[in-house]
Amino acid sequence: MEKIAVFPGSFDPITRGHENVINRASLLFDKLIIAIGENAEKREMFEITKRIEWIKKTFQDNKKIEVVVYSGLTVDYCKTRNIQYILRGIRTSADFEFERSIGQINKMIYPEIETIFLLSLPQYTALNSSIVRDIIRHKGNPDNFIPERLKGLVRL
Ligand code: ADP
């Protein structure tokens, strides 16, 4: 059976931290679905079409990567598409505690779905989309924090 994983997140915008986790995980699975969660409560900085375009451009040479938008519970999305793995990145102990409860509850809902964690590289531990948005909002240059291919593109 094909090993398929979903990497859920907001990707508002995609960062080098996400890119690194995705590249490493794509070696472990036959297919990796980057799933942008539609969240009615979060006000995103970038339109969903932009976020999709930037992820696609970043991984244009990687045939294993697919980009989708979904709403509802990540485990329900996995179930409807017969996906066996959820991928998450861990930067800090705070990430771990947050992910632990979600992962354990997800396992109670659907025991057949496994959550897989990859540790961030040390140089990306401090990086998150919210810092990148702050840089952009204040007219700074975010290019060192977003994928190389997106240089000059991720702006308001
Ligand atoms: P969310 O909206 O769930 O916080 P994000 O888009 O911020 O989603 O992140 C999606 C996934 O990417 C999460 O598993 C998160 O831990 C991981 N991630 C985000 N930034 C980094 C980073 N710098 N290094 C490794 N993983 C990261």
Side-chain angles (χ1 to χ4, degrees), residues 7-11 15 17-18 21 42 87-91 95 99 120 124-125 127-129:
F7 188 46
S10 317
F11 306 101
T15 69
H18 296 128
V21 166
K42 266 198 192 173
L87 170 71
R88 297 291 286 173
I90 299 280
R91 288 161 289 190
D95 272 355
E99 297 296 342
S120 73
Y124 299 132
T125 296
L127 183 53
N128 60 59
S129 296

Side-chain angles (χ1 to χ4, degrees), residues 7-134:
F7 188 46
S10 317
F11 306 101
D12 188 32
I14 184 165
T15 69
R16 287 192 190 188
H18 296 128
E19 180 189 24
N20 177 261
V21 166
I22 292 166
N23 279 329
R24 287 158 57 206
S26 81
L27 304 175
L28 305 174
F29 299 101
D30 299 306
K31 187 190 269 192
L32 182 53
I33 298 167
I34 317 298
I36 306 178
E38 267 192 317
N39 188 336
E41 279 144 48
K42 266 198 192 173
R43 255 186 54 81
E44 274 96 10
M45 177 174 266
F46 295 106
E47 294 286 339
I48 210 122
T49 48
K50 278 279 155 213
R51 285 183 271 151
I52 295 171
E53 181 187 316
W54 290 332
I55 298 171
K56 284 191 172 163
K57 192 174 175 65
T58 303
F59 301 105
Q60 61 192 20
D61 300 327
N62 190 335
K63 299 266 180 296
K64 289 185 178 177
I65 308 288
E66 186 189 326
V67 187
V68 302
V69 177
Y70 77 107
S71 55
L73 293 179
T74 306
V75 278
D76 286 335
Y77 178 76
C78 291
K79 240 11 233 177
T80 57
R81 286 202 56 183
N82 213 9
I83 296 166
Q84 316 96 308
Y85 301 99
I86 297 175
L87 170 71
R88 297 291 286 173
I90 299 280
R91 288 161 289 190
T92 61
S93 53
D95 272 355
F96 172 75
E97 280 305 326
F98 179 76
E99 297 296 342
R100 183 176 59 81
S101 74
I102 297 176
Q104 288 175 336
I105 296 295
N106 281 343
K107 190 82 182 148
M108 289 164 79
I109 302 175
Y110 293 120
E112 61 276 35
I113 298 175
E114 288 291 355
T115 307
I116 308 284
F117 300 105
L118 286 188
L119 289 178
S120 73
L121 292 189
Q123 61 267 41
Y124 299 132
T125 296
L127 183 53
N128 60 59
S129 296
S130 139
I131 288 178
V132 172
R133 290 197 297 275
D134 270 347

